Amino acid sequence: MRIELSYCDNAQKNSCGVFVENENMMSWVEAASALEGRSVRFFPIPGLKANSVVGALLIASDVNENIHPQYTEVYNAGAQVYVPIHSKISPTMNDQVLQQRFGSNPHFFHPVYGLIELKELTNWSEYLHVNKKNIDVQKPQEAPNFPSRLRNYYIREVPPEEVLKNLIEKSVPNRSSMDEKPLTGLEKLKLRAYRTILGKKSGKKGDGDEKQASVGEGSEANVEKKSWWKRRKQEMRKELDNLEERNKKELDRLMNMLKNDPDEALKYALPIDRSGHSRGPEVGFRMQRRSWGTGSFGGGGASGGNVSLEESQTERLRRQYREMAKNYEENENWEKASFVHLELLSDPYSAAGVLRRGKKYEAAAAIYLSKCQQKEQAAECYELGNFLGRAIDLNEELDRQEKVGDLYTKMGNEEKALTAYQKQVDKYIVGGSYFHAGELSKGKMKDSLQARNHYFKGWEENMRPNECLNAYLDTYAKSGKAEQIQELHNEQMLGQKAHQFLDVLDAQQSKNQELQEQIHLIAHETIARNAKKDTSIVNLLKRFRSGELVKKDVLRFKHGHR
């Protein structure tokens, strides 16, 4: 039989490899990137000359659509006989005939190079050589294991003393002091002397003026003395006016500064204690720079020129401070508003409140803790600011175990949260609060079994019995609830327990329509069981049966047992 390879215009079937007509092995590797599949088989193709290689046949499972035209695509004509994609074998043969003609080894049928049996794959080890060198490999440090999802976060707190120190530095930064100096000791003596000689107020004649005016008016020497004394008085009057201006208007200057330049005025402002008096040992107000940082924030007092003012002056100063604090708060300058309340008005509660409204929770907590001794408020601020570690510590000190559990839950520490919740449950039980113990167990601890035990204990111990029994029944599904109601009825409740049981049945019938028939029957039996000794229980029948007939029956029964 003559077997021929003929050309055809249409491509035959799906290509499964390429023929690279190039003896350079690097071009074979480049062509392999156009093939798909886990592995590519390389078959060297001999040339027309002896011991020559013309290229390679690369066989894979499929070929990419963007195969370079320099490569010849091939397909499997049957029984691993590979031919170019624009050719076909004549005559047409099935796989069995091809297998008989060509054997088990794959073949490549090419119009130029003929029929080639592919006996061996390319042995790459003969062509690839690796130069072995001693390479110093430095292993990089392992990267941190970042979580794929951020579940929660909390902030590490700063000690309260440091928080308050930072608050002072931010509220009253260091700036230049006043140019005009306060009165010295010598100037104070001169002021007293001038007041005695010339009068206490500028422009008013003193007693010395009248006496000097009436002495020896007719003598020339006296006239000369009078002229000298007049000039001297004018000089003293001018100096007195200057001293008076510097002395008596210090408070006015401070008030003007508080209005016009409050930031600068904070350095010279006079603190007022809670009793309404200014703090400090000196007498005589002086516009002197005050050293903050050892006052209410730090534990001592503001130094420099504190005085004892009159009540009217103190009230005037207090009003101005409050107005300044209000303006700071309206402008959302929370730190300075808090500073005024704390340092100048001696009102730490208002200072902390301002910071809390401004969401400066850490600073607010520091004031509540160190100045107000309010651990509860401090703990709330730490929680609001997400300083959960400090919030847990304070709530532990306050023995608020449920809140401790809530905070641990926020942090994602379920084990410690359950431990804290259990401590709170134990406290409830010791105090007889079985209902709260059940609520905490069912809600936050997700322990329905423990909750049932606490609810039922509350029912038995008569501690909020109606609430406990209702909550106990609500932990069951419909079928379980019906069984529990029947078991409770079988206990043949009498007296006060019967009244309580009927109250619970009344509440349950409104929540469980499908159980109404059973509830009505049990209610009737309970009422009948107790009616002879307790006629008042008959009134409860109207809760389970309506209508005029029932009302009349109740009245007749009660009338007959009077």
Side-chain angles (χ1 to χ4, degrees), residues 407-477:
L407 294 172
Y408 274 126
T409 299
K410 272 189 177 182
M411 295 175 68
N413 195 329
E414 196 67 28
E415 183 178 352
K416 287 189 176 181
L418 290 174
T419 300
Y421 287 144
Q422 187 58 53
K423 289 180 181 179
Q424 185 63 51
V425 167
D426 295 341
K427 283 176 57 182
Y428 282 143
I429 293 173
V430 170
S433 298
Y434 296 104
F435 178 76
H436 289 121
E439 290 292 281
L440 183 54
S441 299
K442 181 180 70 173
K444 296 178 179 179
M445 298 181 72
K446 311 297 181 186
D447 191 341
S448 297
L449 182 59
Q450 177 173 275
R452 287 173 186 169
N453 294 334
H454 297 321
Y455 288 140
F456 198 76
K457 188 69 173 178
W459 163 254
E460 290 182 324
E461 298 291 332
N462 211 33
M463 306 296 288
R464 298 177 69 173
N466 291 18
E467 292 173 276
C468 282
L469 188 56
N470 267 311
Y472 171 79
L473 293 173
D474 288 342
T475 61
Y476 287 93

Side-chain angles (χ1 to χ4, degrees), residues 33-53:
S33 62
L35 304 179
E36 295 183 359
R38 291 187 178 181
S39 62
V40 178
R41 293 181 293 167
F42 293 80
F43 295 99
I45 303 301
L48 299 177
K49 294 181 181 181
N51 299 323
S52 66
V53 175

Side-chain angles (χ1 to χ4, degrees), residues 106-117:
H107 288 73
F108 179 42
F109 202 173
H110 191 272
V112 176
Y113 303 107
L115 182 64
I116 303 166
E117 185 178 8

Side-chain angles (χ1 to χ4, degrees), residues 254-265:
L254 174 61
M255 298 295 289
N256 289 333
M257 185 180 289
L258 289 171
K259 293 178 181 178
N260 301 323
D261 191 1
D263 291 348
E264 180 70 12

Side-chain angles (χ1 to χ4, degrees), residues 64-81:
N64 292 334
E65 293 181 358
N66 58 347
I67 186 71
H68 197 280
Q70 68 178 346
Y71 306 132
T72 302
E73 295 183 56
V74 301
Y75 73 96
N76 186 358
Q80 296 190 77
V81 177

Side-chain angles (χ1 to χ4, degrees), residues 196-477:
T196 302
I197 296 171
L198 302 175
K200 294 185 178 180
K201 295 184 179 179
S202 178
K204 178 183 177 182
K205 286 187 176 182
D207 296 338
D209 294 337
E210 296 295 334
K211 291 179 181 180
Q212 294 296 333
S214 63
V215 175
E217 293 181 354
S219 169
E220 292 183 5
N222 288 337
V223 170
E224 186 178 350
K225 289 181 179 179
K226 181 178 179 181
S227 176
W228 173 85
W229 178 245
K230 185 176 181 180
R231 289 194 305 271
R232 180 58 186 146
K233 279 200 305 179
Q234 290 175 348
E235 293 173 358
M236 288 191 295
R237 176 70 64 190
K238 186 176 181 180
E239 194 171 355
L240 172 62
D241 289 344
N242 180 48
L243 293 174
E244 288 281 15
E245 182 70 17
R246 289 172 59 192
N247 182 68
K248 72 177 183 178
K249 291 190 176 180
E250 291 294 325
L251 182 59
D252 291 334
R253 290 178 61 219
L254 174 61
M255 298 295 289
N256 289 333
M257 185 180 289
L258 289 171
K259 293 178 181 178
N260 301 323
D261 191 1
D263 291 348
E264 180 70 12
L266 287 178
K267 302 174 183 178
Y268 307 94
L270 191 64
I272 300 174
D273 62 25
R274 296 189 67 83
S275 62
H277 302 291
S278 61
R279 302 198 300 271
E282 298 182 19
V283 177
F285 176 66
R286 301 193 325 192
M287 252 325 246
Q288 184 171 337
R289 186 184 181 91
R290 309 192 188 280
S291 175
W292 304 107
T294 58
S296 297
F297 281 112
S303 64
N306 297 334
V307 300
S308 294
L309 298 175
E310 295 179 2
E311 184 176 348
S312 61
Q313 294 175 316
T314 302
E315 184 58 31
R316 181 184 173 195
L317 201 57
R318 181 185 290 107
R319 286 198 301 269
Q320 186 58 47
Y321 287 158
R322 287 174 177 167
E323 182 67 22
M324 183 168 62
K326 180 181 177 182
N327 291 336
Y328 275 136
E329 186 170 353
E330 288 177 352
N331 293 323
E332 298 186 358
N333 197 331
W334 311 103
E335 291 85 356
K336 288 185 178 179
S338 174
F339 178 86
V340 173
H341 282 295
L342 184 60
E343 279 289 352
L344 303 183
L345 292 168
S346 301
D347 187 357
Y349 294 94
S350 296
V354 166
L355 292 170
R356 183 168 183 168
R357 289 192 292 276
K359 298 183 179 181
K360 307 294 182 181
Y361 296 119
E362 187 177 24
I367 294 177
Y368 277 129
L369 196 59
S370 60
K371 302 302 174 185
C372 307
Q373 285 72 50
Q374 291 286 333
K375 291 185 179 180
E376 296 89 347
Q377 299 282 359
E380 289 177 9
C381 286
Y382 278 129
E383 181 183 357
L384 289 170
N386 222 33
F387 299 92
L388 301 186
R390 186 64 176 133
I392 287 174
D393 292 341
L394 288 177
N395 280 290
E396 285 278 14
E397 293 177 21
L398 296 167
D399 198 24
R400 298 166 66 180
Q401 295 300 328
E402 184 172 356
K403 175 58 72 173
V404 172
D406 293 343
L407 294 172
Y408 274 126
T409 299
K410 272 189 177 182
M411 295 175 68
N413 195 329
E414 196 67 28
E415 183 178 352
K416 287 189 176 181
L418 290 174
T419 300
Y421 287 144
Q422 187 58 53
K423 289 180 181 179
Q424 185 63 51
V425 167
D426 295 341
K427 283 176 57 182
Y428 282 143
I429 293 173
V430 170
S433 298
Y434 296 104
F435 178 76
H436 289 121
E439 290 292 281
L440 183 54
S441 299
K442 181 180 70 173
K444 296 178 179 179
M445 298 181 72
K446 311 297 181 186
D447 191 341
S448 297
L449 182 59
Q450 177 173 275
R452 287 173 186 169
N453 294 334
H454 297 321
Y455 288 140
F456 198 76
K457 188 69 173 178
W459 163 254
E460 290 182 324
E461 298 291 332
N462 211 33
M463 306 296 288
R464 298 177 69 173
N466 291 18
E467 292 173 276
C468 282
L469 188 56
N470 267 311
Y472 171 79
L473 293 173
D474 288 342
T475 61
Y476 287 93

